[in-house]
Amino acid sequence: REEVSILVVDDVHAMQVQIKELLLSFGFRKIFLASNGIEAQKISQTQPVHLWLVDWQMAPCDGIELLKWVRAQGSVKSMPFLMVTAENTKEKVLQAIQSGVDDYLVKPLTAAQIQNKVYGALLKKGILT
């Protein structure tokens, strides 16, 4: 877990901090924070990213735009991408799936939900064994 890099992308600083604290409590140590998709892209070009944990509603680059960008990149396109959002309509879930999301977390978040989704995605992709 200590070698796994996680990028948390959310335009609400309090949410970034809350998710980071939970990830630290699960044993992850390499956690990067960004407040929008543009910042996340810049971080991913200088740091390895093994898991993307991304809010949907952000500007100037939202979660779906970032997801499409990630899936078009050679180096990170296969890394797990978890969408964090209050958007839970069938249309929104379908849009995220069609764009290549690995899993979906609906706000409000619980520690157990984050832990299950993060570990599930990392195990599924073989990043954790």
Side-chain angles (χ1 to χ4, degrees):
R1 288 177 291 196
E2 292 182 10
E3 297 304 313
V4 175
S5 297
I6 300 175
L7 180 52
V8 177
V9 188
D10 199 304
D11 57 347
V12 177
H13 182 70
M15 186 61 75
Q16 288 179 5
V17 172
Q18 179 186 11
I19 293 172
K20 180 179 180 177
E21 291 301 318
L22 284 171
L23 293 170
L24 288 169
S25 75
F26 304 152
F28 296 101
R29 295 290 171 255
K30 294 182 180 178
I31 302 161
F32 302 98
L33 303 176
S35 59
N36 63 57
I38 303 295
E39 285 183 21
Q41 290 172 13
K42 290 178 183 172
I43 290 170
S44 74
Q45 292 167 348
T46 62
Q47 302 293 332
V49 177
H50 299 110
L51 175 81
W52 299 75
L53 199 55
V54 180
D55 183 35
W56 189 313
Q57 300 293 334
M58 301 177 292
C61 176
D62 70 18
I64 286 290
E65 291 170 312
L66 180 59
L67 172 58
K68 291 176 179 176
W69 180 86
V70 167
R71 293 300 181 233
Q73 303 305 304
S75 58
V76 295
K77 71 179 180 183
S78 64
M79 292 298 144
F81 194 107
L82 305 179
M83 190 71 76
V84 181
T85 183
E87 301 283 350
N88 62 354
T89 64
K90 184 178 177 183
E91 295 79 19
K92 291 289 188 181
V93 173
L94 191 57
Q95 181 184 5
I97 290 169
Q98 290 172 338
S99 298
V101 77
D102 288 287
D103 212 335
Y104 212 83
L105 292 96
V106 178
K107 293 178 182 177
L109 303 172
T110 66
Q113 180 188 30
I114 293 172
Q115 187 173 29
N116 289 340
K117 299 283 186 173
V118 165
Y119 277 100
L122 291 171
L123 290 168
K124 184 178 176 186
K125 295 281 186 166
I127 296 166
L128 282 181
T129 52

